[in-house]
Amino acid sequence: MKLFANVETFCFKTFKKMHLLESVTTALLPLVLLLPLMQFRGTLAAVRCNSPQYLDFGKVGTITCLFHEDFYAVLWYTEADRISNIPTLRYRNEVKAGPGYESGEFDVHSNGSLIISNVSLDHNEMFTVAYIRFKEERYKSIHVSVIVVGKSNKFVLVVSSF
């Protein structure tokens, strides 16, 4: 009889533990499933570059974008860079590199926004930024149209096919 009582007590305690575990699992399961989605949604929600952006001719200009503070890397491309697939400027782990940075034409703000040291008519183009939030994550490309405004000594010839 004592053995039966011990088995009954064991079964009762095991059932209570399983029921408690089932209750906790049921309560936490929606959170566990939604957490990756919430992180993904936050990644997309925090990435934004307005287009077009207007920059003043002959001045320092900034192509402003909003990224997460703790991003892994940003790579900036001009139209010519997209053909060669070599970014004009790379910014990763607070290290700046690339031909545009080395020439002094471009710089990057710690928030990932591109700085143009002296805006010219050559900058009147489509820029592309590849944003990487986490090291293992695929990049997100954003295209930003830049329109240069102000006076220039150069003139632009527009040919129409009317």
Side-chain angles (χ1 to χ4, degrees):
M1 195 72 162
K2 188 164 173 105
L3 178 63
F4 182 73
N6 287 342
V7 170
E8 185 178 351
T9 304
F10 173 78
C11 289
F12 180 73
K13 287 180 178 179
T14 303
F15 177 76
K16 274 181 76 174
K17 288 178 183 176
M18 286 176 49
H19 182 67
L20 178 63
L21 182 61
E22 181 183 349
S23 298
V24 169
T25 304
T26 303
L28 292 178
L29 186 61
L31 293 175
V32 170
L33 293 175
L34 288 175
L35 186 60
L37 293 175
M38 289 167 42
Q39 288 178 329
F40 180 73
R41 183 179 177 274
T43 299
L44 292 181
V47 178
R48 189 175 76 232
C49 300
N50 292 332
S51 186
Q53 293 193 31
Y54 299 89
L55 302 181
D56 292 323
F57 179 84
K59 297 185 179 178
V60 174
T62 302
I63 302 175
T64 305
C65 294
L66 299 175
F67 302 117
H68 275 94
E69 293 177 11
D70 58 346
F71 61 85
Y72 175 70
V74 291
L75 297 92
W76 282 96
Y77 297 85
T78 62
E79 288 179 357
D81 296 330
R82 287 194 313 229
I83 296 166
S84 67
N85 202 27
I86 298 171
T88 197
L89 190 142
R90 294 182 311 275
Y91 183 61
R92 183 176 59 187
N93 297 329
E94 299 181 14
V95 176
K96 303 171 186 180
Y101 175 73
E102 291 159 7
S103 71
E105 182 179 1
F106 298 102
D107 198 353
V108 66
H109 191 278
S110 62
N111 67 10
S113 295
L114 184 68
I115 301 167
I116 302 173
S117 60
N118 184 18
V119 176
S120 71
L121 291 178
D122 294 335
H123 299 116
N124 199 58
E125 65 175 309
M126 182 72 69
F127 285 81
T128 302
V129 60
Y131 165 80
I132 306 167
R133 171 81 195 272
F134 301 109
K135 185 176 182 178
E136 300 82 24
E137 186 177 71
R138 185 167 160 73
Y139 68 88
K140 175 180 174 57
S141 285
I142 303 169
H143 303 288
V144 183
S145 175
V146 170
I147 298 173
V148 177
V149 296
K151 295 182 180 178
S152 162
N153 292 335
K154 293 182 181 180
F155 65 91
V156 179
L157 176 63
V158 178
V159 178
S160 177
S161 61
F162 289 123

